[in-house]
């Protein structure tokens, strides 16, 4: 997990997260917001398949595996389970460090379920 200010785009964090992986992923599944040239270059640099639908503003229509893209809802459900904790959903924590610690704790508890 990487924590950013609320006004930052999430896609800026993907190259750093990919660089932190020990093994290259076979595919990177993300939504249309991640369809940027920098993200696609980072994925190609890791020799992974981008499973990202192209934005409507793209001139070239890039194919993607729609069956694999359907699994993206697992991530959405994971964050939905994290937000069941009221303190996490409303961000009661005062500092970014304590908020990230709460996210790690909730993720570990979810994993143990």
């Amino acid at each position: 997990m990487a924590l950013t200010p609320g006004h930052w785009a999430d896609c800026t964090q993907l190259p750093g997260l990919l660089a932190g992986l020990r093994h290259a992923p076979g595919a990177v599944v993300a939504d249309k917001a991640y369809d940027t040239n920098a993200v696609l270059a980072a994925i190609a640099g890791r020799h992974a398949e981008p499973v990202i639908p192209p934005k409507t503003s793209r001139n070239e229509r890039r194919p993607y595996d729609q069956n694999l893209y359907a699994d993206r809802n697992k991530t959405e459900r994971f964050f939905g389970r994290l937000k069941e904790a009221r303190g996490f959903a409303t961000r009661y924590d005062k500092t970014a460090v304590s908020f990230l610690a709460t996210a790690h704790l909730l993720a570990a508890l979810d994993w143990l379920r």
Side-chain angles (χ1 to χ4, degrees):
M1 284 189 221
L3 186 63
T4 62
H7 61 280
W8 281 17
D10 294 339
C11 64
T12 60
Q13 301 304 305
L14 186 71
L17 290 172
L18 286 176
L21 295 176
R22 278 188 260 164
H23 304 287
V28 175
V29 181
D31 61 7
K32 286 184 181 184
Y34 287 80
D35 184 28
T36 66
N37 293 334
V39 166
L40 294 174
I43 294 170
R46 298 288 292 187
H47 306 291
E49 174 191 357
V51 183
I52 303 171
K55 290 181 182 176
T56 54
S57 61
R58 281 226 183 244
N59 291 332
E60 66 179 57
R61 304 307 294 174
R62 186 177 22 79
Y64 66 97
D65 186 345
Q66 292 183 353
N67 288 328
L68 191 54
Y69 181 74
D71 283 342
R72 189 179 68 83
N73 74 46
K74 293 176 184 175
T75 303
E76 299 295 335
R77 290 192 322 243
F78 167 72
F79 280 102
R81 288 190 304 271
L82 291 185
K83 289 178 181 179
E84 289 174 4
R86 188 177 69 154
F88 182 80
T90 56
R91 191 156 181 185
Y92 284 160
D93 297 312
K94 300 286 185 202
T95 64
V97 172
S98 61
F99 180 73
L100 189 57
T102 301
H104 283 132
L105 177 64
L106 291 171
L109 291 173
D110 184 71
W111 182 71
L112 289 172
R113 269 197 238 180

